[in-house]
Amino acid sequence: RQRQMCIRDREVTAMTGIPRDPVMLLSYINTQLRDFYPSLEELCSALSLDRETLDETLSSIDYFYDRDKNQYL
């Protein structure tokens, strides 16, 4: 019998490879901020992300951007 997996957990946006699941998105964004971008504004610009949509998505799991730490906490 074949195991079924939840496709939602692995969904990514078709063009960018950015996760749609909020928890996976949180991990992805914080890693990008830590490793490549000095600010959320630069990340959003480079990846063509809408800051408001990103904030809304991550606030739905109670994470908010901390400018001083450059991370969602």
Side-chain angles (χ1 to χ4, degrees):
R1 181 174 151 137
Q2 190 175 19
R3 262 183 76 195
Q4 292 181 338
M5 64 186 327
C6 183
I7 293 173
R8 179 184 60 93
D9 293 337
R10 295 199 167 227
E11 280 186 6
V12 294
T13 55
M15 299 286 286
T16 62
I18 297 172
R20 292 173 52 189
D21 175 76
V23 175
M24 296 299 290
L25 179 63
L26 171 67
S27 177
Y28 176 81
I29 294 296
N30 275 344
T31 299
Q32 293 296 305
L33 288 168
R34 181 192 69 213
D35 294 347
F36 304 111
Y37 299 99
S39 71
L40 183 58
E41 291 76 19
E42 288 190 37
L43 178 142
C44 288
S45 177
L47 300 180
S48 300
L49 297 176
D50 179 65
R51 163 78 188 265
E52 186 174 320
T53 302
L54 184 59
D55 283 341
E56 286 175 12
T57 301
L58 295 179
S59 70
S60 74
I61 58 169
D62 295 321
Y63 280 82
F64 303 91
Y65 183 67
D66 181 314
R67 183 179 302 273
D68 293 331
K69 296 186 187 262
N70 193 36
Q71 293 282 286
Y72 277 89
L73 305 172

